[in-house]
Structure formats: C-alpha cells, structure tokens
Amino acid sequence: MVNIRSYVLVVLFVVLIAVEATVARADANGNGNGNKGNSNGSGDKGNNNGNDNEGNNNGNENTGNNNGNGNKGNGNGNKNGGDNNGNGKNDDFDDVEPLPTGQERVSCKAKGGCHLKTLVCPAQCPEKKPKNNKRKKGCHVDCSSKCEVTCKWRKPNCNGYGSLCYDPRFVGGDGVMFYFHGAKGGNFAIVSDNNLQINAHFIGTRPQGRTRDFTWVQALSVMFDTHNLVIAAKKVSQWNSNIDSLILSWDGEEINISNDEAAEWRANKEEREVIVERTDETNNVRVRVSGLVEMDIKVRPVGKRESMIHNYQLPDDDAFAHLETQFKFRNLSDLVEGILGKTYRPGYVSPVKIGVAMPMMGGEDKYQTPSLLSPLCNACRFQGKSAAGIATI
C-alpha cells in the first residue's frame, strides 16, 4: 500500500510540473518570442518595447514578430510615426480627391489629435508638389499635434531641426546647434541605425598656420536594405547657379532627372519606394525613401564674402560646392547612432557647450568610415545586407 501511494504521489508531481511548464510557455509566447514574459517580442531585454505606444503591435498579442526581431528593444517603429515594423511605406496621410478649386486634400493617419482629420491645402499653395517649383511654394502637410497645412518653399531650412549646412553646422533632433570638424577627405556616419545609414564625405582646406581643416559636406550616401543612393556636388572652379552641379547615383549607376513637368526619378524596390524630385530647375532636390527618411538638399558654393569673413583662404580655381541638407526621419530606434542620429534618442542630452559662438561636437574616432559607401565605424549599427553598391570592408 505504501508503495502504491508513493507511486501515485510521483505521478501527481510529474503532472503538476508538466502543467506549470505549459502555462509558462503560453505566458512567454503571449509576450513575444519567448522573452521570459517581458512584454517585448523581439529579444529586447525587457525594455517594454510595445508598451506605452498606443498599441502599435510591437510584440503584444502578436507573438512579437512585428517589431523587426533582434533590435534589442530599440523602439523600432515607435515614437517616429512607425507602422508595426518600421518597414515599407509610412506616410502620415492618404491623398483625398481635390476640391473643385484644385486645392489638394489629405486624410491624416498619424496617431493623436489629427488622426483621420481631413486637411485642405491653402488657396495660395493648392498643391503639395507645384508644377513650377521655382516660382511657387508647396503645400506642407503636418499631421502631428499641430494638425495644419502651410505654404513653404521646398528647400532646406538651415536653422531647422535635422539640418546640416555650412562648415558644417548641425541642428540636432533636440534643437541644439553644434559644429563638427571632421577632416578634409574624410567620411563620417551622420546617421547609423538598424535599417538606415547615411554617410557624408567632407571636402576642405587648411590655411597656413591653422591646426585644423575647414570642412564642408560634398556628398551623402544613403544606405538601406541592399541599396545605396548617392547625392553629391560636382567640383567646379567658377560657380554658375544656372548650371546643375548635382550628381546622383543609384546602386553605382548615375541617374538623371529631367526638367519636365514631373521632374522626378522613381524606384520601387522591395517594400520601399525611392523618389528623387527637383525642387528647382537646378541644384535643388527632395529625396524620399519611404518609411525611412526625407531630405531637402541644395548645392551651393562658398561665397567670396563668406570666405573673407571666416578667412577660409580658398583657392581661386575651386568654388567648394557643397550640400545644404535638412533631414526628416521615420522609425529611428531608441539607440540610433551617428553625428546627427544620436540627437534623436529619447532623453538625449547634448554634451556641447551651450551659449558659445561655435559649440563643438567631437566623435571623429567613433564615426569615421573607411569610405563613403562603407557602413563600418566604431559606433555604427547598420544591419543592412551587403550589396554591390555597399562596401563591407
């Protein structure tokens, strides 16, 4: 009898263990990919990715597969207008049939007070992309908490958030202005995230007696998935604003943008649409990679008066044509890196000295890359696949 009771107790004990294991597995699977029930769903180490985000499907009740697995809980797709995984088209609005007056309309998709509201472009700028970019402002739609439409030139604002201009001067995602010297002939990661990297190539000069180079950004390389888009300024000896000094290439092949009514180039690759459109007859473009970044870019020279004020001592046979750029990012992770990218981190506190004439940002050693097309640097995070247009060494 004692042996029988012992046998029964052993069986009950085994059954209880099996039930507990089943419950534990169900608990873990309900929170993502078996992440110990941390409400994450992508190996994100308990950073509550997906919580406090108005149910953006970042792991909760979705087996955690909508966040882009392996992103260490970086909020990929959150806090930046994300749509579950941060991939694919991700505009803040859908177009609605225009009014009889020709004024374009949109229906906002962004979460918040503007969600599903219809916004109408003003009569002064009825189109988001006017046919004559040079003489007409475009309708700028803001479906954020501002919930407004305004008339704006489609050019970079060098004092706006996410701008990169002059020699070179940044305004970060936190609104703080700073300078970054870099080095003549050097390449540096402006932004490096899980699915996007933007490098910049610096040109410059060092007058006699100066210990550092004066530098400007001559080219940008936008890397994502297996693709690479390069926007660069040609080297010109004498500047003429009526001559186009822009060079663009897609996966290593030069592309041309006509000056016709459309004035744009498009590529539809995988889940992303890439659009490059002229915003003036020469030297101005807007670049959009859906779900990742929008950039307004202008080519300009270093003017003689500017050179005299700053004592650049530029040679007579080089106008030092360079890029002025303003970025608008989507779906950046919470651990985004890069000279500009890190200023978009939640809670980021700038280390530069506020109030001085030229607040300097260091980090050349962290962000220098072997080439314009290389995703490698000491702090880089880009996880894109290697391709012919993207160097891996």
Side-chain angles (χ1 to χ4, degrees):
M1 182 64 72
V2 174
N3 290 337
I4 294 174
R5 287 179 179 175
S6 300
Y7 177 77
V8 171
L9 288 172
V10 169
V11 171
L12 287 173
F13 181 73
V14 171
V15 170
L16 286 172
I17 291 176
V19 171
E20 184 177 352
T22 302
V23 172
R25 278 197 302 272
D27 210 12
N29 291 334
N31 284 286
N33 298 333
N35 280 300
K36 300 180 183 179
N38 287 338
S39 302
N40 300 318
S42 297
D44 26 25
K45 299 182 181 179
N47 289 339
N48 295 322
N49 195 27
N51 297 332
D52 303 323
N53 278 288
E54 298 182 330
N56 288 340
N57 296 329
N58 277 329
N60 298 334
E61 301 179 355
N62 271 288
T63 69
N65 292 329
N66 287 335
N67 188 42
N69 295 335
N71 282 311
K72 298 182 181 178
N74 298 334
N76 194 31
N78 295 334
K79 304 176 185 177
N80 286 287
D83 60 346
N84 299 336
N85 62 1
N87 296 325
K89 298 179 181 178
N90 186 36
D91 291 331
D92 292 334
F93 54 81
D94 288 324
D95 290 326
V96 180
E97 185 177 353
L99 294 177
T101 59
Q103 292 168 257
E104 294 182 354
R105 300 188 297 164
V106 302
S107 175
C108 288
K109 297 191 296 186
K111 294 187 180 296
C114 207
H115 186 55
L116 297 182
K117 286 189 177 181
T118 299
L119 302 182
V120 181
C121 290
Q124 296 84 351
C125 55
E127 299 171 311
K128 296 190 296 297
K129 182 188 174 185
K131 298 297 185 295
N132 191 330
N133 291 306
K134 187 173 182 179
R135 297 178 179 86
K136 293 182 180 179
K137 291 184 178 181
C139 173
H140 177 76
V141 177
D142 189 341
C143 283
S144 69
S145 57
K146 290 184 178 180
C147 199
E148 64 180 10
V149 285
T150 52
C151 296
K152 290 186 177 182
W153 297 112
R154 302 194 311 145
K155 307 289 175 66
N157 175 7
C158 287
N159 294 315
Y161 287 72
S163 60
L164 166 51
C165 303
Y166 313 134
D167 57 344
R169 192 195 77 171
F170 293 77
V171 178
D174 56 350
V176 176
M177 182 269 287
F178 62 91
Y179 288 81
F180 178 86
H181 277 312
K184 174 184 176 181
N187 301 281
F188 299 90
I190 302 299
V191 175
S192 184
D193 208 2
N194 304 317
N195 53 7
L196 172 69
Q197 178 144 330
I198 301 176
N199 290 349
H201 176 72
F202 286 39
I203 54 174
T205 183
R206 184 181 298 190
Q208 186 175 1
R210 181 174 166 82
T211 58
R212 300 198 69 162
D213 299 328
F214 287 116
T215 52
W216 296 267
V217 171
Q218 180 265 337
L220 293 169
S221 170
V222 183
M223 291 171 273
F224 62 95
D225 300 334
T226 61
H227 302 289
N228 185 283
L229 176 67
V230 173
I231 308 100
K234 296 178 183 177
K235 181 177 180 180
V236 292
S237 57
Q238 299 296 324
W239 178 257
N240 185 338
S241 60
N242 294 319
I243 298 176
D244 201 21
S245 297
L246 264 172
I247 306 172
L248 299 110
S249 67
W250 170 251
D251 288 345
E253 295 186 7
E254 188 170 343
I255 59 176
N256 295 305
I257 308 175
S258 64
N259 260 316
D260 58 14
E261 195 169 273
E264 67 179 29
W265 175 89
R266 289 174 177 256
N268 291 282
K269 298 296 181 181
E270 287 83 35
E271 297 181 13
R272 304 194 194 283
E273 183 176 48
V274 183
I275 303 174
V276 183
E277 56 177 295
R278 290 191 182 277
T279 51
D280 206 336
E281 293 177 5
T282 60
N283 299 312
N284 288 269
V285 290
R286 171 169 288 183
V287 176
R288 185 170 72 87
V289 181
S290 62
L292 290 178
V293 65
E294 186 175 285
M295 307 157 60
D296 285 314
I297 301 173
K298 176 181 180 178
V299 179
R300 66 175 294 266
V302 177
K304 290 184 178 180
R305 184 172 181 275
E306 182 183 357
S307 178
M308 181 179 65
I309 291 173
H310 296 284
N311 194 29
Y312 290 145
Q313 301 180 37
L314 299 183
D316 293 333
D317 61 347
D318 193 342
F320 277 79
H322 60 280
L323 304 181
E324 290 183 346
T325 309
Q326 187 174 19
F327 301 88
K328 182 180 179 181
F329 298 104
R330 299 180 185 276
N331 305 308
L332 294 176
S333 75
D334 287 354
L335 296 180
V336 59
E337 269 290 359
I339 301 164
L340 177 65
K342 64 182 177 182
T343 69
Y344 285 83
R345 290 183 178 186
Y348 174 78
V349 177
S350 178
V352 303
K353 294 181 180 180
I354 308 298
V356 300
M358 292 189 67
M360 299 303 305
M361 178 76 76
E364 283 89 347
D365 57 332
K366 293 174 61 178
Y367 300 121
Q368 188 160 16
T369 63
S371 72
L372 179 64
L373 302 181
S374 173
L376 304 179
C377 73
N378 289 335
C380 286
R381 298 177 50 80
F382 181 56
Q383 300 294 316
K385 300 174 184 178
S386 62
I390 301 178
T392 56
I393 58 174

